[in-house]
Amino acid sequence: MQRALTDLSNDAIDALVSECGGKPFQARQVLHWLWKHGADSFEQMRNVPTALRAALAREHVVRHATINKVDDAEDGTQKLLLRLRDNETVECVIIPDEERTTLCISTQVGCPVACVFCASGMFGVRRNLTAGEIAEQVLLAQSQLRPNRRLTNLVVMGMGEPMLNLDGLLPALARIHDADGIGMGARRITVSTSGFPRQMERFAAADPSYNLAVSLHAGDDELRKRLVPTATSPVRDIIAAAHRYFGQKGREVTYEVVLLEGVNDRPDDAVSLVNALGSLPCTVNLIPWNPVEEIVAQKGLRRPSVVRIDSFADSLRGGGLKVTVRRQRGADRSAACGQLRLRALDAASS
Ligand code: SAH
Ligand code: SF4
């Protein structure tokens, strides 16, 4: 399969253009078309000579992915189902707010972590996304933005476990962040992990400093193991790695807790979270579970009522923690990441 330009670093694009007989300024033009104008074909690169475009096209395409389907929710959320060149599919979601427009992107086709409540993990992982496939989601989303909107924030909270694909994620974020790439500030980029301490160390070593969110879900090991069955690291080690990240980067970590009624929203569960996080500088983001039909049917999980969520939040605050509660978005469609792909797989197999 031909490689895509989005998979190449800036230096590799320089080298390629030179091999094809082009000059350094033409490499910059190609980079500009790719990342600033969002060109998806060589034909669009109008100021690049035809012979150079033809030479580049011999062994390369511009991008990997195309938009297969756009699902518009009433609140303005747009969910994009993307088709990759091997016919696999992934999702990304545009979430507009008053002053912000956030894009949620995926890092793997499926996910190997298999959290009990998550649609992305239901069928394991098919493969890692390449750096180009990760970065392209930003370009494709930009092409769908409503007038006068631009992407202000990026969250790596779509399908897949980012720490298990750092070889794809780190170069992708570099291209998204780079001034010669898409040029998005690192402070506007947040990566969420279900907790892999060793990989978090490697993520911490990367320059620049992105924000880190840790999907903790429970403060004690036994309950966490029920929710995240494949995670082998103790809660203590995950929190220690996140705290080291804070120490190195000076970025406060957010802990996410997907709330499931009667499973991890009981008074004792609030106590164990308070005990685990103690007086660490952090914020706990409570995420009311977004029901996934198949999971409701198989496991009987439920989203807690607003009253239960508020009382859980109050218990955490009473224990000295900073708490936010995530507002439901795109709830009129398959809102949780992984669900659009699930529907598409269903449709393909029926
Ligand atoms: N694998 C990473 C990032 C992708 S999941 C992680 O787990 O952090 C991003 C967030 O969505 C995680 O906090 C995850 O727990 C949450 N999530 C997954 N399925 C959900 C659902 N059905 N409803 C609400 N949140 C969900
Ligand atoms: Fe994977 Fe995150 Fe879903 Fe867990 S919540 S299965 S880690 S995508």
Side-chain angles (χ1 to χ4, degrees), residues 107-122:
T107 52
Q108 298 181 304
V109 181
C111 181
V113 182
C115 300
V116 291
F117 50 79
C118 176
S120 300
M122 280 178 67

Side-chain angles (χ1 to χ4, degrees), residues 111 117-119 156-158 160-162 192-194 215 217 256 258 287-290 292 326 336 339:
C111 181
F117 50 79
C118 176
V156 186
M157 295 188 183
E161 170 45 52
S192 173
T193 177
S194 53
S215 298
H217 308 309
E256 295 160 291
V258 171
I287 310 174
W289 184 55
N290 233 309
V292 179
R326 186 182 289 176
Q339 289 197 54

Side-chain angles (χ1 to χ4, degrees), residues 214-261:
V214 175
S215 298
L216 198 62
H217 308 309
D220 72 280
D221 287 320
E222 200 189 316
L223 177 56
R224 188 166 201 278
K225 190 123 187 65
R226 271 173 52 207
L227 299 172
V228 190
T230 62
T232 49
S233 301
V235 166
R236 176 172 21 95
D237 294 358
I238 296 170
I239 294 174
H243 190 57
R244 278 196 296 278
Y245 189 86
F246 168 72
Q248 272 173 273
K249 304 287 200 180
R251 295 284 171 94
E252 211 176 89
V253 172
T254 300
Y255 291 94
E256 295 160 291
V257 177
V258 171
L259 282 179
L260 298 156
E261 185 175 310

Side-chain angles (χ1 to χ4, degrees), residues 60-256:
H60 289 82
V61 291
V62 176
R63 292 186 193 164
H64 290 284
T66 50
I67 298 176
N68 189 241
K69 187 169 184 274
V70 181
D71 210 3
D72 288 299
E74 262 165 29
D75 63 3
T77 303
Q78 290 176 285
K79 197 164 219 186
L80 276 48
L81 184 69
L82 309 180
R83 184 169 298 284
L84 308 173
R85 285 197 292 155
D86 57 0
N87 276 331
E88 294 288 3
T89 50
V90 287
E91 304 175 14
C92 62
V93 189
I94 303 168
I95 309 156
D97 221 321
E98 282 96 49
E99 73 275 25
R100 289 196 299 199
T101 302
T102 303
L103 175 68
C104 174
I105 60 170
S106 298
T107 52
Q108 298 181 304
V109 181
C111 181
V113 182
C115 300
V116 291
F117 50 79
C118 176
S120 300
M122 280 178 67
F123 302 111
V125 65
R126 303 267 306 169
R127 69 170 173 86
N128 282 340
L129 296 187
T130 67
E133 288 168 332
I134 296 172
E136 277 174 39
Q137 293 173 60
V138 180
L139 299 175
L140 289 163
Q142 281 173 333
S143 75
Q144 295 299 305
L145 290 176
R146 303 213 164 86
N148 303 324
R149 282 270 174 190
R150 57 180 195 88
L151 290 178
T152 57
N153 295 72
L154 183 75
V155 294
V156 186
M157 295 188 183
M159 297 173 63
E161 170 45 52
M163 294 302 139
L164 298 182
N165 183 17
L166 285 175
D167 288 342
L169 179 70
L170 291 175
L173 290 182
R175 271 155 232 166
I176 292 166
H177 168 70
D178 196 295
D180 287 328
I182 293 171
M184 183 181 270
R187 286 183 177 272
R188 297 179 174 277
I189 299 175
T190 301
V191 177
S192 173
T193 177
S194 53
F196 290 84
R198 233 171 358 101
Q199 289 83 346
M200 282 156 74
E201 304 275 346
R202 187 175 155 209
F203 181 65
D207 199 28
S209 306
Y210 306 107
N211 300 309
L212 179 69
V214 175
S215 298
L216 198 62
H217 308 309
D220 72 280
D221 287 320
E222 200 189 316
L223 177 56
R224 188 166 201 278
K225 190 123 187 65
R226 271 173 52 207
L227 299 172
V228 190
T230 62
T232 49
S233 301
V235 166
R236 176 172 21 95
D237 294 358
I238 296 170
I239 294 174
H243 190 57
R244 278 196 296 278
Y245 189 86
F246 168 72
Q248 272 173 273
K249 304 287 200 180
R251 295 284 171 94
E252 211 176 89
V253 172
T254 300
Y255 291 94
E256 295 160 291

